[in-house]
Amino acid sequence: MSDTVRRYGIAVLASGLGLGAVFLLGRMLPFEPFLLFAVPVALTSRYAGGGPTALTVVLSAIGIEATLILSTGRFRFSVGELWLHAAIFGIVAFTIDSTTEALRKARRDAERTADHLEDLNVELEQQMDHVQTLSDELQRANRSLALARDVAEEASRAREEMLGVVAHDLRNPLNVVMTTTQLVADGELSGEKRGQLLSVMLRAAKRMNRLIEDLLEVVRQESGKMKLDLEEVSVASLLAQTAEMFQTTAAEKGISLRVEDTPPSLSVWGDSERIMQVLSNLVGNALKFEASGGSIVLKCELRGAEAIFSIADSGPGIEGEDLDRLFEKFWQRSRTDKRGVGLGLAIARGIVEAHGGRIWVESRIGDGSTFYFTLPAVSLRGEDLQLATLGNGAGSTGAEPARMSL
């Protein structure tokens, strides 16, 4: 059934029910209750729309006339009175229809407003979430900036302190050079004495040159201008040259310096001069802190695609809280320690990382320290590969020494 048929059916049904009610009540009442026809007019006006309402008004007027005819057999009201009733029904219908339409419009407006408010509420919640996210990010950024500022201030203080140490370390040998130069130039010296003074000048000049080279190396690393001449380098040769370089110094201090057996054909891919610089820094540091009667062991073993170098000493060890800072530039455990300016380990780390390797240290107070670094390995050959695999226990699956966080 279509909606139009249904609405007009309601108009006809309501008019018929109104006619029946008026006819029955008219028999019991001393007057004709024609105003009851306003009820179906009101109902159709409320629920059926304008067309069915007009039909109900017409049917109600006809119903009044039909009621009079049925009850008396004649008309009792004038045509004007019938039109008056019809006008009253029309006014009632118009009022109810207008009110209903106004209510419907108000409800639609209220629903649209509610939907709009709901959309605004959702958008507001999204905006609040976005604002909260921005607030959280801002807080994190502020914390990061505060941390970065603290780190920068600490680095600046450390750099200023270390620059003082650098200036001190340069001033001392420079004073030695100036003093000995004056003595050589002004004094009546024997050949032996002159040779001793020249030897002192040479050592002072080498010390200044080493410090300047370290500072330049740090600048090169920070600017990304460090150059590597990569080639296949024999590990055994590197370790042997390092031991030979420091053997005299170790013997003078009563320290045992030795190299563990390394497969002759184990090689790494790197810059031999730079690798020697790393080994020299690490062995030199070990000799600085090793006491007479101690030992330093140089070793390298193959682990998968890496050659792992280790420099182990029997020295006093390193405090746990200092391990993570050892490789920082210009860092020293004690500001009164004049055995360096805190650049050697930082330079070593820069060189190793430029080769694609890693560097770390393991140490406990009283048990000595072991410095490790890795370099890309070149494949072994024949019996050397078998020897290295057996020596490592499980070959490339052997447990790697634990690394410290750098």
Side-chain angles (χ1 to χ4, degrees):
M1 179 184 298
S2 66
D3 182 67
T4 302
V5 173
R6 181 184 61 80
R7 290 188 294 111
Y8 279 95
I10 291 174
V12 173
L13 178 61
S15 300
L17 293 175
L19 176 61
V22 169
F23 183 75
L24 292 175
L25 290 176
R27 291 179 173 274
M28 295 181 288
L29 297 175
F31 60 90
E32 287 79 5
F34 295 127
L35 289 178
L36 286 176
F37 281 110
V39 175
V41 172
L43 291 176
T44 53
S45 177
R46 175 67 178 83
Y47 297 105
T53 301
L55 176 61
T56 304
V57 171
V58 173
L59 292 176
S60 296
I62 294 173
I64 293 174
E65 183 178 354
T67 301
L68 292 174
I69 294 173
L70 290 174
S71 61
T72 62
R74 60 184 179 82
F75 289 108
R76 292 176 55 189
F77 293 99
S78 65
V79 174
E81 289 175 321
L82 288 176
W83 280 109
L84 177 62
H85 281 87
I88 293 172
F89 297 155
I91 293 171
V92 170
F94 176 78
T95 303
I96 294 175
D97 184 65
S98 299
T99 304
T100 301
E101 184 60 28
L103 290 174
R104 287 174 180 168
K105 183 177 182 302
R107 185 176 65 182
R108 288 194 298 269
D109 292 343
E111 289 175 350
R112 283 195 296 267
T113 302
D115 292 340
H116 183 60
L117 289 175
E118 185 175 354
D119 292 340
L120 289 177
N121 187 52
V122 172
E123 184 178 352
L124 180 60
E125 290 179 355
Q126 293 174 347
Q127 292 293 333
M128 291 177 64
D129 291 341
H130 183 59
V131 169
Q132 183 63 42
T133 301
L134 291 177
S135 177
D136 294 340
E137 291 178 354
L138 181 60
Q139 290 179 3
R140 286 193 294 269
N142 286 336
R143 288 194 294 268
S144 298
L145 287 174
L147 180 60
R149 182 189 60 211
D150 294 341
V151 171
E153 290 176 352
E154 176 63 23
S156 178
R157 286 193 296 268
R159 187 179 293 267
E160 289 175 0
E161 292 176 3
M162 285 305 104
L163 286 176
V165 174
V166 170
H168 179 272
D169 278 19
L170 282 175
R171 186 182 297 114
N172 284 344
L174 184 59
N175 288 336
V176 171
V177 171
M178 293 173 63
T179 302
T180 52
T181 301
Q182 186 175 1
L183 290 174
V184 171
D186 297 341
E188 294 291 337
L189 303 175
S190 64
E192 180 181 359
K193 185 63 174 178
R194 184 183 298 273
Q196 291 176 350
L197 290 175
L198 290 175
S199 178
V200 170
M201 290 173 60
L202 181 60
R203 287 196 299 271
K206 286 183 177 179
R207 183 178 176 187
M208 287 190 296
N209 185 65
R210 175 61 185 273
L211 179 57
I212 292 170
E213 282 297 322
D214 283 349
L215 291 171
L216 291 175
E217 181 67 26
V218 169
V219 172
R220 282 192 291 267
Q221 290 183 5
E222 289 182 343
S223 63
K225 295 181 179 179
M226 183 175 64
K227 182 181 178 181
L228 297 178
D229 295 323
L230 300 177
E231 59 182 344
E232 184 176 338
V233 186
S234 168
V235 170
S237 175
L238 290 171
L239 297 180
Q241 291 180 55
T242 304
E244 182 180 0
M245 184 188 308
F246 290 97
Q247 199 62 252
T248 301
T249 304
E252 290 176 352
K253 296 186 66 174
I255 298 171
S256 170
L257 175 61
R258 64 185 177 87
V259 179
E260 285 198 358
D261 290 338
T262 302
S265 54
L266 174 59
S267 300
V268 293
W269 190 252
D271 186 321
S272 59
E273 294 296 327
R274 297 291 187 178
I275 300 171
M276 284 296 298
Q277 188 176 355
V278 174
L279 288 168
S280 299
N281 278 335
L282 297 179
V283 175
N285 274 349
L287 286 170
K288 287 179 186 178
F289 298 96
E290 186 64 70
S292 178
S295 65
I296 298 174
V297 179
L298 281 64
K299 177 181 172 183
C300 183
E301 56 184 348
L302 181 67
R303 296 284 178 86
E306 292 181 327
I308 300 181
F309 292 78
S310 62
I311 296 87
D313 64 57
S314 58
I318 304 170
E319 294 283 353
E321 62 268 20
D322 296 337
L323 292 176
D324 291 343
R325 303 201 62 188
L326 284 178
F327 298 97
E328 295 179 8
K329 292 185 287 291
F330 298 105
W331 185 85
Q332 288 179 310
R333 179 68 179 87
S334 172
R335 299 305 183 196
T336 61
D337 190 349
K338 304 303 180 186
R339 287 175 287 188
V341 292
L343 292 176
L345 291 179
I347 291 172
R349 181 178 67 174
I351 293 173
V352 170
E353 291 179 349
H355 281 79
R358 300 167 286 119
I359 187 169
W360 70 97
V361 60
E362 293 178 354
S363 181
R364 286 195 306 175
I365 296 298
D367 287 342
S369 305
T370 302
F371 283 81
Y372 298 92
F373 69 93
T374 67
L375 293 174
V378 178
S379 299
L380 293 176
R381 296 182 292 277
E383 66 278 2
D384 290 332
L385 176 59
Q386 184 179 7
L387 177 61
T389 302
L390 292 175
N392 290 336
S396 62
T397 60
E400 178 182 330
R403 283 193 294 159
M404 300 305 299
S405 174
L406 301 182

